[in-house]
Amino acid sequence: MFIAPMKWLLLQDRRMLIDNANITFTYDNLEIFEDLAIYPDSDVVFVRRFDSDFLQLTSVYRPSPQRTVIWENRGNWTIKNGLQMSTFDVASARRRNLQQSHLKSCLVMTNPDTINHLTDFKYNMIDPITKVNYIWILHLVNRMNATISFDISNNWGRNNNGSWDGMIGMLQRHEIDIGGTSMYMMANRIHILEYIQLYTRTGALKLREYGLMYRDEYRIYIKKPTCSSQTGFITIGFTECYFAIITMGYGALFSIIIFTLELLWHKR
């Protein structure tokens, strides 16, 4: 009932409760939320009116069925200042601490030996998507302060008269919380799965550092180094362009000879 994309706005007028302190009001007991399935993807805002011109906004959620309710201060509203939000971050940015809640996932492996090479970068052409997604899932779980366990499947899922097997079947039967191996978006899977768009660049860069070959070699010179031979600037330039100068000299000499022969030929 409280899952996304549904949004809930609950209102409570605390003025009546304050004026009638002896009246027991059912919704004044906030423990009612302890038994509700309000998980991190929910959007439930609880608005309480304490005064004629002051409303307090609070969000409520539970990291998992085994954890207690967490209240978030979202801000307040007054006639003078209007709506004052404490933060405009979305729920996924605010609710990163799942308090070691346990998640279940599934890895698709076409080769049984893949289970032994998920992180050693060996046999990269065998089940590459599974190995890449495994590292991403571990990073995601670590960011959310959660734990995770994996089931293994040999296929993504096939439709057998409306009943799916493989990883899709586990998601359909709610046996796992999130798929551990990405899959293609296909028309026959749209009504079964909820795809999550990847907002990172698809690519990997592997770097390896070998260090300096000679670590005891001095890199800072405190005085001008001396030349091994007293060679001047002109000599160095002439040495480097020796073959070019020789070629140009012979070319000029050959041109002069040809020009002289043509001149003598025309004077005859």
Side-chain angles (χ1 to χ4, degrees):
M1 183 171 62
F2 295 102
I3 61 175
M6 300 295 294
K7 299 179 184 292
W8 291 79
L9 180 63
L10 307 179
L11 305 176
Q12 183 187 65
D13 193 346
R14 295 281 300 179
R15 295 176 301 174
M16 182 182 66
L17 301 179
I18 295 174
D19 296 338
N20 302 277
N22 296 327
I23 299 178
T24 302
F25 192 61
T26 303
Y27 295 100
D28 186 40
N29 187 1
L30 299 182
E31 293 180 357
I32 189 176
F33 293 98
E34 296 286 346
D35 300 326
L36 298 179
I38 307 177
Y39 299 127
D41 66 332
S42 64
D43 191 354
V44 179
V45 179
F46 189 46
V47 180
R48 291 184 289 180
R49 187 171 187 175
F50 289 91
D51 201 350
S52 59
D53 64 344
F54 181 82
L55 281 74
Q56 182 182 10
L57 283 70
T58 309
S59 290
V60 57
Y61 75 98
R62 298 170 61 190
S64 67
Q66 295 77 29
R67 299 295 182 266
T68 58
V69 167
I70 296 178
W71 294 90
E72 298 176 305
N73 180 20
R74 301 298 305 280
N76 58 74
W77 179 91
T78 60
I79 296 178
K80 180 180 179 180
N81 299 322
L83 181 62
Q84 300 291 324
M85 299 294 294
S86 59
T87 178
F88 289 94
D89 293 338
V90 296
S92 59
R94 301 192 315 267
R95 303 171 180 178
R96 295 184 177 180
N97 186 4
L98 298 185
Q99 300 180 357
Q100 291 293 300
S101 298
H102 185 70
L103 304 177
K104 296 180 180 180
S105 184
C106 174
L107 298 176
V108 178
M109 300 182 185
T110 59
N111 188 330
D113 190 50
T114 300
I115 191 66
N116 301 317
H117 304 286
L118 290 174
T119 57
D120 58 6
F121 301 103
K122 292 183 178 179
Y123 312 110
N124 294 334
M125 301 306 296
I126 301 176
D127 291 328
I129 301 300
T130 300
K131 296 175 181 178
V132 171
N133 288 165
Y134 176 74
I135 298 176
W136 285 348
I137 289 292
L138 292 183
H139 175 67
L140 178 64
V141 170
N142 182 61
R143 286 289 302 272
M144 296 189 302
N145 188 25
T147 60
I148 193 169
S149 60
F150 295 96
D151 292 332
I152 307 300
S153 176
N154 59 0
N155 67 86
W156 280 266
R158 294 181 293 266
N159 187 1
N160 299 318
N161 298 324
S163 178
W164 291 76
D165 59 4
M167 186 175 68
I168 297 179
M170 295 182 184
L171 289 168
Q172 185 184 32
R173 296 185 296 270
H174 302 286
E175 297 175 2
I176 59 177
D177 302 301
I178 184 174
T181 303
S182 59
M183 65 182 71
Y184 291 111
M185 182 179 293
M186 302 178 64
N188 60 342
R189 298 174 178 174
I190 296 296
H191 67 287
I192 298 295
L193 303 176
E194 180 181 356
Y195 288 90
I196 300 175
Q197 183 177 357
L198 184 64
Y199 288 95
T200 57
R201 295 182 179 179
T202 55
L205 178 62
K206 183 179 179 181
L207 301 178
R208 179 176 296 177
E209 181 183 358
Y210 290 95
L212 297 176
M213 185 176 297
Y214 303 102
R215 294 185 178 273
D216 57 344
E217 183 178 353
Y218 292 101
R219 299 297 179 183
I220 301 178
Y221 297 97
I222 58 177
K223 65 178 182 179
K224 180 180 178 180
T226 58
C227 296
S228 58
S229 61
Q230 300 298 327
T231 305
F233 173 77
I234 298 178
T235 306
I236 295 175
F238 181 79
T239 303
E240 293 179 351
C241 303
Y242 177 77
F243 293 102
I245 294 175
I246 294 299
T247 303
M248 292 174 61
Y250 279 109
L253 180 60
F254 183 74
S255 299
I256 293 174
I257 294 174
I258 295 298
F259 178 76
T260 303
L261 292 176
E262 289 184 353
L263 184 61
L264 294 176
W265 177 266
H266 287 289
K267 286 184 176 181
R268 289 178 54 183

